[in-house]
Structure formats: structure tokens, C-alpha cells
Amino acid sequence: EAQVTQNPRYLITVTGKKLTVTCSQNMNHEYMSWYRQDPGLGLRQIYYSMNVEVTDKGDVPEGYKVSRKEKRNFPLILESPSPNQTSLYFCASSRGGGTSNYEQYFGPGTRLTVT
Amino acid sequence: AQKVTQAQTEISVVEKEDVTLDCVYETRDTTYYLFWYKQPPSGELVFLIRRNSFDEQNEISGRYSWNFQKSTSSFNFTITASQVVDSAVYFCALSEEWAGYQKVTFGTGTKLQVIP
């Protein structure tokens, strides 16, 4: 089954304790992205990756890191989480880039609470 | 900078009514893509439609239709004869591509409640 998986689905942590949210897709997609969803703000793009070793900032990259060492994986790293990073996080993937921008397939979401 | 505005925060309709969700976008690019996604109460995000900037044909898929007008920078979504299962948050999104990079901007979403 074609899918995007995220782990963990729920996480409660404390300020300053480094954490990683994993994302993996099995569709051989080049493009992957992370979003956060907050009430009234919709989805905001944190980082995206056009392909292995190619990443770029979205609209709200502060406080986050990403890496793309393998095509299927795109982990999101919070080096020192703060309460304002409490949010619902979605990973997504899509075909290509290049001259055509395709629809994204989303993971189930990770609800993060930072106390 | 690209921007997507969904001015309707919440809409309530009675079942079987038609409803239109508005989406207005801003971009400096001549090549761009527009999308609609649905987020039902269960929380997953589901792709509905993709349209590129060179294709202004309206599209109909069952009870769903989309009206793309470049002249007004709008990409509106109409549900005909709404059903309770249409209750969800709907997001419009814009994707630009330049120099091999592809950034995506979502609107803030419109929450649709269909009352039986």
C-alpha cells in the first residue's frame, strides 16, 4: 500500500529535550515536505526537499532541522523544543518537481506537545 | 511572495444545499499550480484537485466543481447538493516552481459543516 508514515503519532516532551519525528514514504517520490498545522493558521511549510541532499526552507523554518540522506526518509529534528512548537505536524511527499508540481500525499500527522 | 486567502473561516449549510468555497491567490510567477485538499474530522489530508496556471477550464467531478479564473486570481470550489460526509476543513494551496525549487503555500482553510 502506497503511504507516508510518521512516528511517533503523539509526543509529549519538555522544553529543551531534543527530539526527532521520522517520516518515510514508499512511493519513490522525489519531493518531501514538513508542515505544521495550528488553529486559524492553516498549514505552514517548515522545510521541503526536492531530492536526496537537496533541502530548502519553507515559511516557518526557525527551530527546526531536516536531512534527506535517503530518498524515502525525511526526518524532522527539533534540537531544543519550545512550547511555541506545540502543534500538529504533517509530512508529505509527491512526484517530481522540475517543470510540474504534483499533488502531495500526507502522513497521518504527529501531535506534539512541548511543556 | 506567494499568498493564498480563504476568507471564509466557517460555513454552515443544510444538507442538499449548494455551497461555494472561495480561494484567492497571489503570485508573481506565470507558471504555478493550484490544489484543493480536504481534511475530514478524522484528521487526514486528502487531495481533491490539481490545476496548472495554463489550464483555465473548469472541472466537474461528481458533485464537486472548480472554477479557475486567472483574471481574478481565484480558484473556487463548489459542492452541489451537499451531504453530511462533506463536513470537513477544505484547504486551497498554491505551488510555485523556480530554479528547481518548489515551495507550497496553503490557505488557512474553510471549515464546512453540513447539517442534516
Side-chain angles (χ1 to χ4, degrees), chain A residues 2-103:
Chain A
Q3 60 182 352
V4 178
T5 57
Q6 296 179 227
N7 282 292
R9 295 288 314 278
Y10 302 90
L11 179 60
I12 301 174
T13 189
V14 296
T15 299
K17 186 177 181 181
K18 181 179 178 180
L19 66 92
T20 299
V21 184
T22 64
C23 173
S24 183
Q25 50 94 5
N26 62 1
M27 295 169 279
N28 201 36
H29 284 166
E30 287 83 8
Y31 186 90
M32 296 186 75
S33 183
W34 276 103
Y35 298 88
R36 60 178 289 173
Q37 183 177 9
D38 302 289
L41 298 177
L43 283 89
R44 294 179 292 167
Q45 193 171 42
I46 303 170
Y47 271 95
Y48 62 94
S49 170
M50 297 294 287
N51 214 322
V52 176
E53 303 291 2
V54 182
T55 63
D56 200 10
K57 297 176 181 178
D59 290 321
V60 288
E62 296 77 21
Y64 305 95
K65 285 177 58 177
V66 294
S67 68
R68 186 93 181 271
K69 295 185 178 357
E70 304 167 286
K71 197 172 187 179
R72 62 183 294 128
N73 296 324
F74 190 45
L76 179 69
I77 302 159
L78 285 72
E79 295 268 2
S80 183
S82 62
N84 64 13
Q85 293 178 297
T86 293
S87 187
L88 178 59
Y89 291 86
F90 286 99
C91 179
S93 73
S94 71
R95 286 189 283 167
T99 56
S100 293
N101 298 4
Y102 294 96
E103 65 275 13

Side-chain angles (χ1 to χ4, degrees), chain B residues 40-87:
Chain B
S42 51
E44 73 271 23
L45 283 150
V46 179
F47 164 74
L48 295 177
I49 190 170
R50 164 181 176 260
R51 174 68 79 228
N52 74 51
S53 52
F54 299 107
D55 181 3
E56 286 193 73
Q57 282 192 342
N58 292 332
E59 179 153 341
I60 298 174
S61 176
R63 296 184 296 106
Y64 294 173
S65 63
W66 290 269
N67 181 7
F68 177 29
Q69 291 196 330
K70 286 179 75 171
S71 60
T72 56
S73 296
S74 65
F75 186 42
N76 297 336
F77 173 29
T78 296
I79 302 174
T80 302
S82 59
Q83 300 177 2
V84 172
V85 293
D86 297 325
S87 296

Side-chain angles (χ1 to χ4, degrees), chain B residues 9 11 14 17 26 29-31 34 36 38 41 48-49 52 59 62 65-66 73 78 82 88 90 92-93 108 114 116:
Chain B
T9 305
I11 301 175
V14 176
E17 288 185 345
E26 294 177 26
D29 278 3
T30 55
T31 303
L34 294 161
W36 277 94
K38 175 182 180 180
L48 295 177
I49 190 170
N52 74 51
E59 179 153 341
S65 63
W66 290 269
S73 296
T78 296
S82 59
Y90 292 87
C92 180
T108 52
V114 181

Side-chain angles (χ1 to χ4, degrees), chain B residues 85-99:
Chain B
V85 293
D86 297 325
S87 296
V89 180
Y90 292 87
F91 291 99
C92 180
L94 166 67
S95 178
E96 296 176 334
E97 190 273 334
W98 75 99

Side-chain angles (χ1 to χ4, degrees), chain B residues 9-37:
Chain B
T9 305
E10 292 192 37
I11 301 175
S12 289
V13 299
V14 176
E15 200 170 22
K16 298 184 182 175
E17 288 185 345
D18 300 346
V19 58
T20 295
L21 310 183
D22 297 333
C23 173
V24 174
Y25 62 92
E26 294 177 26
T27 177
R28 292 173 295 183
D29 278 3
T30 55
T31 303
Y32 53 89
Y33 293 79
L34 294 161
F35 304 84
W36 277 94
Y37 292 88

